[in-house]
Each structure stands twice: as structure tokens, then as C-alpha cells.
């Protein structure tokens, strides 16, 4: 199994002067789900190299077993520091693609043509696509083979409007994930705020929030077995 994980390269949280990036748990938990299953995992980002870590996700109260494992894993840290440049990646080389969230993807991956190219290629070949929390932002411009938005008429989830309100960033983010998925015709579902909630529709797997990252990765993996 060859799985591509795509991370953000964006580190500015709007015009707040604060930093953002990818969310550590949403990378670490899926990374180890895939690795422990024997998958060959490749990491990529728009700019390549070390993707920016959202400092909030590195706080003490955000740590999980997976993030603690990552902090003690030199090989994984080396892997993360050397992500491939997204433009150089070919969909044909992988069996599945997975996007960890964090607020960063709202700015770069949502608008990235290389990301859209990859997602559309995976969809056209009926290969699994996964995204968790803010990462369903990557479906903003992606199309299905019918030319409609990829999520149109499909069950999806992603960071809720109330969760965004809970972290106080409703007026900072360029768009709300829940609203975008709905406006693209997605059949949006959600669970309780901050609780694990994952939706699978065919080969498309979406998770609602950081707590959903491990389950979303396990669902993606089950589509490969």
C-alpha cells in the first residue's frame, strides 16, 4: 500500500499576526495508523520541506498518544522535515491520498491546482481520498468526472461552523468548511462538536475534527484492504 499524505505550507493565520499550519494530532495519528499497517507513506506539501506546525496543536493540552510517539520518533520527524514538492508528485504512484487539517489548508491547499489535479485523478480512478477537520477545504474547487463539484450529492463532514466559533476564528478564516461543503452540493453531516465523527461515501472519507483523525485514517485503510 502506498499512501500520499498532503500537508499545508501556509503559516499565517489571516491578518491576526498569529501562526497557523497543520494540526499535529491530525498528522501523527493517521501517519501511525498507516505505518503500523505496513503502508509506504509519502509526505508532500505545496512548497516541500518542513511544513509549518500550528503552535496551538503543540500545546500540552493538545497532546495525544500519537503526538507523544511522534515527538520521540526521529525517523518520522526526518520524514516530515523533507516533504516532497506537491507539483512533482504523480497520482499514479499511490493507492490513496489523505489530507490532515489545521487552518493552513484553508489558505493554500483549498486553492492549489496541483492538489486539485491529484484529487481529481484519484477520484477518476476510484482510489480512496481522505480529509479531516479543516482539510475538506481541499474540495473547494475539485470536480468529479461529471464536471460537478466532487462533493456534490455525496455525504461529507468537516469542521463545523460551531467548532470554528468555539475557537474564535469565524471572522478570520477565508471561508467556513461547513458552508463551503454545503454550497458545493455536499450532503453535510455532523456529530457533536469535538467528538469523533467520520463519514464514508464510496471511496471518499471525511472526518469532522481532530478527534476524528485516527478513525478517518482507519476508514481509509479499510478501503484498501
Amino acid at each position: 500500500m502506498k499512501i500520499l499524505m498532503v500537508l499545508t505550507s501556509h503559516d499565517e493565520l489571516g491578518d491576526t499576526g498569529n501562526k497557523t499550519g497543520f494540526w499535529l494530532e491530525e498528522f501523527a495519528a493517521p501517519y501511525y495508523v498507516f505505518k503500523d499497517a505496513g503502508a509506504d507513506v509519502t509526505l508532500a506539501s505545496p512548497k516541500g520541506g518542513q511544513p509549518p506546525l500550528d503552535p496551538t496543536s503543540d500545546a500540552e493540552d493538545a497532546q495525544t498518544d500519537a503526538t507523544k510517539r511522534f515527538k520521540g520518533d526521529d525517523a518520522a520527524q526526518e520524514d516530515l522535515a523533507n516533504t516532497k514538492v506537491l507539483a512533482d508528485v504523480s497520482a499514479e504512484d499511490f493507492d490513496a491520498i489523505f489530507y490532515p487539517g489545521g487552518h493552513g489548508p484553508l489558505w493554500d491547499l483549498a486553492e492549489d491546482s496541483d492538489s486539485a489535479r491529484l484529487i481529481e485523478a484519484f477520484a477518476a480512478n476510484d482510489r480512496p481520498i481522505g480529509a479531516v477537520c479543516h482539510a475538506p477545504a481541499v474540495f473547494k474547487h475539485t470536480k468529479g468526472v461529471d464536471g460537478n463539484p466532487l462533493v456534490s450529492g455525496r455525504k461529507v463532514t468537516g469542521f463545523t461552523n460551531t467548532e470554528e466559533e468555539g475557537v474564535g476564528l469565524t471572522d478570520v478564516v477565508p471561508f467556513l468548511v461547513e458552508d463551503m461543503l454545503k454550497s458545493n452540493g455536499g450532503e453535510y453531516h455532523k456529530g457533536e462538536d469535538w467528538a469523533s465523527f467520520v463519514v464514508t461515501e464510496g471511496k471518499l472519507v471525511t472526518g469532522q475534527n481532530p478527534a476524528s483523525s485516527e478513525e478517518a485514517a482507519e476508514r481509509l485503510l479499510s478501503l484498501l484492504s
Side-chain angles (χ1 to χ4, degrees):
M1 294 179 294
K2 295 188 173 181
I3 300 175
L4 177 65
M5 293 183 74
V6 182
L7 296 108
T8 182
S9 293
H10 184 87
D11 69 351
E12 297 291 333
L13 188 60
D15 55 9
T16 63
N18 295 323
K19 293 295 184 184
T20 189
F22 73 93
W23 197 264
L24 185 56
E25 157 70 8
E26 295 169 30
F27 161 71
Y31 180 83
Y32 287 120
V33 166
F34 301 148
K35 283 285 198 180
D36 291 348
D40 180 359
V41 179
T42 297
L43 307 180
S45 62
K47 294 180 180 176
Q50 176 73 53
L53 172 66
D54 186 317
T56 310
S57 74
D58 205 24
E60 193 57 43
D61 63 357
Q63 300 313 302
T64 64
D65 289 344
T67 66
K68 291 170 186 170
R69 180 177 173 186
F70 173 74
K71 288 175 183 296
D73 187 341
D74 291 342
Q77 291 176 37
E78 181 74 11
D79 216 8
L80 184 65
N82 294 283
T83 66
K84 294 183 180 299
V85 175
L86 199 55
D88 298 338
V89 175
S90 171
E92 289 71 45
D93 296 336
F94 300 96
D95 301 307
I97 189 169
F98 187 90
Y99 287 81
H103 282 89
L106 296 174
W107 279 274
D108 64 350
L109 291 172
E111 309 295 338
D112 191 282
S113 59
D114 292 306
S115 175
R117 165 182 60 84
L118 287 166
I119 292 168
E120 289 171 0
F122 276 89
N125 290 290
D126 199 32
R127 292 180 190 161
I129 300 165
V132 67
C133 198
H134 285 90
V138 300
F139 304 126
K140 186 178 181 188
H141 299 299
T142 51
K143 306 290 185 189
V145 290
D146 59 2
N148 292 320
L150 184 69
V151 299
S152 181
R154 305 178 82 174
K155 293 194 284 289
V156 287
T157 191
F159 207 57
T160 67
N161 289 353
T162 48
E163 285 169 328
E164 199 68 81
E165 194 177 317
V167 296
L169 294 173
T170 302
D171 297 327
V172 172
V173 295
F175 62 92
L176 296 169
V177 174
E178 177 180 335
D179 288 353
M180 180 276 290
L181 292 171
K182 289 176 178 175
S183 68
N184 274 0
E187 192 182 304
Y188 183 84
H189 295 260
K190 62 183 176 181
E192 292 179 29
D193 284 0
W194 314 114
S196 180
F197 184 79
V198 178
V199 173
T200 303
E201 167 93 18
K203 297 289 178 68
L204 180 63
V205 178
T206 47
Q208 181 177 313
N209 48 35
S212 312
S213 54
E214 187 168 324
E215 185 185 345
E218 289 168 349
R219 295 268 196 106
L220 186 86
L221 204 56
S222 72
L223 295 174
L224 289 171
S225 55

